[in-house]
């Protein structure tokens, strides 16, 4: 495997590129997939919904509580049904997803507020769809403050006091971790690259088998690693293009922040791409037809979406699912992207997620070289 | 290492797939610079044998060298000096003629590949179509492209697996002229075929059936080995005669050729006694001839078929 030939690697690289460019449909799909997925995940799932059904359970009927309700209505985020008064009924509706929010105003709210006793105001939210509640919850504090401030005009000593004259408690029910699209969009890079990367490399080798050009390739003095490098490189470039499209769209269209270093992200991306492409190559070495390779990559796609922490919080999964999830490269890459984009993580902070990818890459390349057959046996 | 005067020298090769033995004790010796024809019915193991020789498959048992290199441990060296033309067109149909040839040139690490590629395209006579996709070529042109690509790296051995299947007679003749030209330059050729005229253009032939070599040698040796005596009959009601004679166990084969019928038997007495009742019938005119290559071929084929049925 030492003593690789540049001429041969470059020849395979060139051949793959030419074949790729002739297959316009596939190329179009490769470009369309990230855009389509992004639009679906970003837009189809309403990112800033209004008129969320809400119940206000008020143990007090005062100017302030009335002002709170009317401010909530004018904010357009909440649609308040006032005729429900029992806690039991409200909770039932919340569980049924008939309503999304319950606002609990305690007894003596106005009195405690005036005394400076910091009364507690509790909002229970159905967080199964975290994107849906993100907007209203972000706005509620301001809405409440304005309503209270307006009512308290004239009560000078309180007004000049701390604006936090009450305590707002938000109880996210059913989904305590609470994703947002900030979380989904970076994770989407991992999913898109897994799906297209694994599938395309898997297909590129099985295509040779199906068209019986494999026999010809095997009859030539080309080494497995040369074939692998030549076949994988074009998809690294495509992977970078796909990732750039997603990141740019995420940043400019969905205003997902990029807190960290893009070069660092590019580095993580390289290792992740290599992992996927090597994986695709390995699958294709085991598959006999393009159909089989396709099925194998789909088989891999579902756990990548479900177990990697993309869809469900990783720590919230049962232990066995976490173990399965830790075998997937996307699990680590999702953490890397989220870390860099959302939290501005530096190299040392992403390192714990880089080295598992390295191990994965080495192991999978080794397996690929083992099962890539130099003969037709 | 390369002092072996035999380009192919394999002994007792056996190969089975999923427990089914497809090659049994096949030994082949091909001297350098010769053209050997490889004949046998479909599924007899020709392709498998060729793949074993060039290292695309690994034999379960046996031994041998190809171009002086061990077929088990040195297949990389064999590949570098062998041109293998697969039965099915196996070049990249979504690459152009030129790109295919360039790719092959690079795979064999040919220096100054551009010159060689130009030369190959020129020899092919495809200069004006070099940018056409290989998949768009007709069958005959695909064969020529495949041959050009196979000999691009100037191999010492050419393995051709039914290279002219589905190609018109003119293209076949051109193809064989090219093969002879190459052999004259010292190239060794092993070519599998179903065509009698092609078999007759080989220096020697090897006949294989059910994974075993039945006979080998020059054309006359193979015909002699068949031990056939042939009578050729012409006449009006040959179909009736054919149906009757086919049931006769004394005869080896009865086969129609155009307006005549070839009746073959293993010995003269059997032939004479079988056709005896019809020899003096004025409807038929009989002549005794030496068996043709095709008679021998059909004879071997039906013998192999009988053997296979018996072993079942």
């Amino acid at each position: 495997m030492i003593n690789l030939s540049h001429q041969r690697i470059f020849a395979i690289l060139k051949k793959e590129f030419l074949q790729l460019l002739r297959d316009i449909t596939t190329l179009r799909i490769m470009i369309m997939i990230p855009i389509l997925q992004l639009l679906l995940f970003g837009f189809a799932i309403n990112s800033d919904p209004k008129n969320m059904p809400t119940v206000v359970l008020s143990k007090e009927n005062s100017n302030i509580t009335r002002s709170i309700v009317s401010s909530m209505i004018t904010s357009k985020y909440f649609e308040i049904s006032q005729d429900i008064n029992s806690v039991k009924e409200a909770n039932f509706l919340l569980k049924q997803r008939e309503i999304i929010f319950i606002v609990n105003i305690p007894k003596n709210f106005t009195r405690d507020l005036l005394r400076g006793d910091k009364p507690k105001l509790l909002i229970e939210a159905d967080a199964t769809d975290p994107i849906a509640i993100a907007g209203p919850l972000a706005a509620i504090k301001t809405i409440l403050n304005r309503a209270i401030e307006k009512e308290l005009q004239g009560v000078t000593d309180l007004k000049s006091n701390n604006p936090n004259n009450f305590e707002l408690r938000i109880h996210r029910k059913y989904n305590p971790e609470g994703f947002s699209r900030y979380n989904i969009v970076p994770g989407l890079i991992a999913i898109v690259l897994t799906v297209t990367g694994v599938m395309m490399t898997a297909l590129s080798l099985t295509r040779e088998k199906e068209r019986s050009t494999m026999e010809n390739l095997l009859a030539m003095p080309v080494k497995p690693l040369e074939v692998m490098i030549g076949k994988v490189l074009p998809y690294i470039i495509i992977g970078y293009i796909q990732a750039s499209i997603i990141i740019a769209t995420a940043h400019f269209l969905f205003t997902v922040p990029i807190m960290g270093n893009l070069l660092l992200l590019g580095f993580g991306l390289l290792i992740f791409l290599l992992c996927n492409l090597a994986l695709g190559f390995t699958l294709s070495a085991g598959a006999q037809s393009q159909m089989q390779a396709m099925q194998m990559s789909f088989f891999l796609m579902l756990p990548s979406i479900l177990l990697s922490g993309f869809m469900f919080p990783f720590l919230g999964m049962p232990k066995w699912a976490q173990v399965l999830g830790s075998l997937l490269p996307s699990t680590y890459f999702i953490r890397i992207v989220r870390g860099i984009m959302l939290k501005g993580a530096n190299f040392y902070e992403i390192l714990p997620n880089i080295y598992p990818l390295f191990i994965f890459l080495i192991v999978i390349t080794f397996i690929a070289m083992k099962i890539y057959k130099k003969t037709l046996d | 290492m390369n002092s072996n005067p035999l380009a192919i020298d394999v002994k007792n090769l056996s190969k089975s797939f999923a427990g089914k033995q497809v090659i049994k004790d096949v030994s082949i010796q091909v001297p350098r610079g010769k053209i050997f024809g490889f004949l046998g019915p479909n599924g007899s193991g020709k392709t498998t044998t060729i793949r074993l020789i060039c290292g695309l498959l690994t034999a379960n048992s046996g031994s041998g060298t190809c171009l002086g290199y061990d077929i088990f441990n040195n297949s990389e060296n064999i590949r570098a000096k062998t041109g293998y033309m697969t039965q099915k067109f196996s070049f990249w149909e979504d690459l152009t003629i030129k790109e295919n040839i360039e790719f092959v040139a690079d795979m064999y690490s040919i220096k100054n590949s551009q010159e060689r590629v130009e030369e190959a395209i020129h020899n092919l006579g495809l200069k004006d179509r070099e940018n056409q996709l290989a998949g768009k070529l007709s069958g005959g042109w695909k064969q020529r492209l495949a041959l050009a690509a196979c000999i691009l790296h100037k191999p010492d051995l050419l393995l051709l697996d039914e290279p002219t299947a589905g190609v018109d007679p003119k293209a076949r003749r051109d193809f064989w002229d090219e093969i002879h030209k190459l052999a004259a330059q010292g190239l060794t050729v092993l070519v599998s075929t179903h065509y009698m005229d092609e078999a007759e253009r080989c220096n020697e032939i090897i006949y294989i059936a059910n994974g075993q070599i039945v006979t080998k040698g020059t054309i006359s040796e193979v015909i002699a080995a068949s031990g056939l005596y042939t009578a050729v009959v012409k006449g009006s009601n040959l179909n009736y005669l054919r149906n009757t004679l086919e049931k006769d166990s004394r005869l080896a084969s009865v086969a129609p050729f155009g307006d005549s019928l070839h009746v073959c038997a293993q010995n003269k007495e059997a032939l004479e006694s079988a056709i005896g009742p019809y020899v003096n019938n004025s409807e038929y005119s009989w002549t005794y001839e030496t068996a043709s290559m095709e008679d021998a071929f059909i004879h071997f084929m039906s013998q192999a078929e009988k053997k296979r049925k018996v072993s079942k």
Side-chain angles (χ1 to χ4, degrees):
Chain A
M1 287 218 234
I2 324 295
N3 198 2
L4 299 176
S5 149
H6 294 290
Q7 191 180 9
R8 288 195 294 246
I9 292 177
F10 185 74
I12 292 189
L13 180 79
K14 187 178 152 206
K15 164 182 156 301
E16 292 300 313
F17 251 124
L18 287 168
Q19 290 185 303
L20 201 61
L21 289 176
R22 303 254 153 87
D23 193 355
I24 293 295
T25 321
T26 308
L27 206 60
R28 228 177 260 152
I29 290 171
M30 304 272 292
I31 301 298
M32 281 310 292
I33 281 179
I35 297 174
L36 205 69
Q37 293 243 29
L38 199 69
L39 291 179
L40 281 179
F41 277 94
F43 276 129
I45 299 168
N46 194 348
S47 56
D48 195 14
K50 300 273 159 84
N51 302 323
M52 311 275 276
T54 302
V55 165
V56 176
L57 295 174
S58 182
K59 298 216 171 74
E60 177 182 278
N61 190 359
S62 64
N63 286 344
I64 286 189
T65 62
R66 278 190 297 275
S67 172
I68 286 174
V69 169
S70 66
S71 305
M72 283 173 74
I73 292 169
T74 35
S75 79
K76 299 243 169 66
Y77 278 118
F78 306 94
E79 191 180 82
I80 294 178
S81 38
Q82 273 154 316
D83 48 6
I84 293 150
N85 294 311
S86 96
V87 177
K88 209 179 152 194
E89 195 184 352
N91 276 324
F92 177 74
L93 289 174
L94 191 71
K95 205 165 195 175
Q96 298 295 306
R97 216 179 153 73
E98 296 279 310
I99 56 169
I100 305 291
F101 296 104
I102 303 172
V103 180
N104 293 283
I105 302 174
K107 222 178 196 169
N108 302 327
F109 183 77
T110 314
R111 192 197 69 195
D112 291 351
L113 194 70
L114 291 169
R115 276 188 188 166
D117 275 353
K118 292 199 111 188
K120 295 184 181 72
L121 196 142
L122 173 70
I123 295 178
E124 290 165 278
D126 173 3
T128 47
D129 184 358
I131 298 161
I133 61 167
L137 285 182
I140 189 71
K141 182 86 184 171
T142 324
I143 295 167
L144 292 173
N145 268 330
R146 283 221 191 102
I148 291 165
E149 226 171 85
K150 203 172 78 192
E151 285 305 311
L152 291 185
Q153 263 170 5
V155 191
T156 45
D157 55 326
L158 251 178
K159 197 190 163 195
S160 57
N161 246 346
N162 189 349
N164 294 320
N165 42 26
F166 66 98
E167 189 183 327
L168 178 66
R169 282 198 177 166
I170 293 166
H171 188 181
R172 287 186 175 83
K173 283 189 157 174
Y174 312 126
N175 180 6
E177 192 167 296
F179 289 126
S180 68
R181 72 197 141 98
Y182 286 9
N183 256 342
I184 282 189
V185 169
L188 202 59
I189 301 174
I191 301 305
V192 167
L193 293 182
T194 301
V195 175
T196 53
V198 171
M199 199 183 292
M200 291 310 291
T201 26
L203 291 183
S204 86
L205 201 63
T206 41
R207 189 164 45 228
E208 306 262 12
K209 284 187 197 174
E210 266 188 16
R211 296 182 186 171
S212 75
T213 49
M214 195 66 200
E215 190 179 357
N216 203 342
L217 202 60
L218 285 173
M220 296 176 189
V222 59
K223 297 182 177 77
L225 198 59
E226 292 169 346
V227 176
M228 183 164 169
I229 295 173
K231 280 200 167 282
V232 151
L233 279 179
Y235 297 106
I236 290 190
I237 295 163
I238 290 189
Y240 269 109
I241 295 173
Q242 288 179 316
S244 311
I245 292 174
I246 300 175
I247 292 171
T249 323
H251 187 62
F252 295 111
L253 198 60
F254 297 110
T255 63
V256 174
I258 302 172
M259 311 285 285
N261 189 333
L262 274 179
L263 282 179
L264 189 59
L265 187 60
F267 167 71
L269 195 61
L270 181 66
I271 299 167
F272 178 64
L273 281 171
L274 285 171
C275 284
N276 282 327
L277 301 176
L279 191 60
F281 194 85
T282 310
L283 288 183
S284 68
Q288 285 309 313
S289 64
Q290 294 196 63
M291 196 46 141
Q292 281 179 8
M294 197 80 132
Q295 284 164 340
M296 284 182 180
S297 33
F298 268 109
F299 190 74
L300 193 83
M301 189 178 81
L302 271 183
S304 296
I305 291 175
L306 299 175
L307 302 180
S308 63
F310 171 67
M311 209 78 145
F312 306 114
F314 192 79
L315 293 173
M317 295 193 306
K319 205 83 201 147
W320 61 266
Q322 289 191 25
V323 170
L324 283 181
S326 352
L327 297 175
L328 299 166
S330 25
T331 303
Y332 303 100
F333 187 63
I334 284 177
R335 291 179 196 158
I336 292 172
V337 187
R338 285 178 181 165
I340 293 174
M341 284 184 75
L342 306 177
K343 299 171 191 161
N346 62 31
F347 179 73
Y348 294 102
E349 284 161 333
I350 63 162
L351 198 58
N353 292 311
I354 290 280
Y355 83 83
L357 289 181
F358 257 116
I359 295 171
F360 183 90
L361 180 62
I362 290 164
V363 171
I364 216 76
T365 307
F366 182 75
I367 294 173
M369 290 301 99
K370 277 277 156 200
I371 64 173
Y372 175 87
K373 293 191 189 104
K374 280 203 245 177
T375 62
L376 290 166
D377 281 300
Chain B
M1 209 177 187
N2 276 318
S3 58
N4 195 331
L6 296 174
I8 300 173
D9 186 9
V10 294
K11 293 185 189 85
N12 304 321
L13 292 185
S14 293
K15 176 74 182 173
S16 41
F17 291 113
K20 191 174 174 282
Q21 195 160 31
V22 291
I23 296 291
K24 288 167 223 156
D25 289 328
V26 166
S27 301
I28 294 175
Q29 280 74 39
V30 182
R32 288 175 190 263
K34 295 284 182 197
I35 302 174
F36 268 49
F38 202 15
L39 285 85
N42 290 326
S44 56
K46 297 190 296 290
T47 301
T48 307
T49 307
I50 290 176
R51 286 175 177 174
L52 287 174
I53 291 169
C54 68
L56 273 178
L57 287 173
T58 317
N60 300 117
S61 62
S63 65
T65 59
C66 182
L67 299 170
Y69 299 108
D70 188 78
I71 58 165
F72 288 94
N73 306 318
N74 233 329
S75 64
E76 299 224 349
N77 286 324
I78 298 174
R79 283 172 208 201
K81 298 202 157 188
T82 303
Y84 171 42
M85 187 168 156
T86 53
Q87 195 170 346
K88 198 179 158 209
F89 182 69
S90 64
F91 286 86
W92 289 267
E93 300 206 339
D94 50 356
L95 294 185
T96 66
I97 292 159
K98 193 177 180 192
E99 285 159 0
N100 265 302
I101 294 177
E102 280 172 347
F103 180 72
V104 173
D106 288 332
M107 283 297 109
Y108 287 99
S109 311
I110 293 173
K111 303 271 181 293
N112 302 324
S113 59
Q114 211 51 44
E115 266 172 53
R116 283 273 273 285
V117 170
E118 287 298 325
E119 190 189 322
I121 292 173
H122 181 77
N123 290 343
L124 256 176
L126 282 176
K127 185 70 198 147
D128 50 333
R129 289 161 75 186
E130 63 178 20
N131 292 322
Q132 192 178 328
L133 293 185
K136 296 256 158 46
L137 289 172
S138 68
W141 280 109
K142 276 184 182 169
Q143 299 308 97
R144 296 190 66 179
L145 168 62
L147 181 66
C150 283
I151 59 172
L152 191 72
H153 62 294
K154 301 199 160 63
D156 294 334
L157 172 68
L158 203 50
L159 300 170
L160 308 170
D161 197 357
E162 292 185 25
T164 55
V167 173
D168 69 59
K170 169 79 169 67
R172 265 174 55 198
R173 172 156 296 185
D174 292 347
F175 190 88
W176 272 91
D177 288 345
E178 181 73 23
I179 299 293
H180 274 275
K181 224 181 277 170
L182 291 166
Q185 291 163 18
L187 191 72
T188 312
V189 182
L190 178 64
V191 51
S192 78
T193 181
H194 285 302
Y195 296 110
M196 291 307 116
D197 60 321
E198 292 187 352
E200 281 164 4
R201 294 189 73 162
C202 297
N203 297 115
E204 283 186 35
I205 63 164
I206 298 163
Y207 189 86
I208 186 174
N210 297 330
Q212 281 175 305
I213 290 180
V214 179
T215 185
K216 47 187 170 184
T218 60
I219 301 289
S220 46
E221 280 167 1
V222 168
I223 293 172
S226 74
L228 286 182
Y229 289 83
T230 302
V232 176
V233 55
K234 291 189 180 189
S236 54
N237 199 359
L238 287 180
N239 273 338
Y240 167 76
L241 191 60
R242 183 187 168 199
N243 288 337
T244 325
L245 289 176
E246 263 181 348
K247 294 181 193 112
D248 197 322
S249 60
R250 285 170 292 187
L251 295 173
S253 70
V254 181
F257 281 82
D259 62 347
S260 64
L261 200 62
H262 284 214
V263 183
C264 302
Q266 286 283 223
N267 56 63
K268 211 169 179 184
E269 292 73 41
L271 183 64
E272 280 169 352
S273 63
I275 64 172
Y278 310 101
V279 169
N280 293 322
N281 189 328
S282 60
E283 264 187 74
Y284 309 117
S285 69
W286 293 85
T287 49
Y288 287 97
E289 285 184 13
T290 50
S292 69
M293 182 62 209
E294 189 143 349
D295 291 331
F297 188 85
I298 291 169
H299 170 65
F300 286 132
M301 222 150 124
S302 55
Q303 248 187 352
E305 186 64 22
K306 272 179 207 155
K307 230 188 200 172
R308 201 173 59 84
K309 277 183 182 153
V310 168
S311 69
K312 260 185 185 174

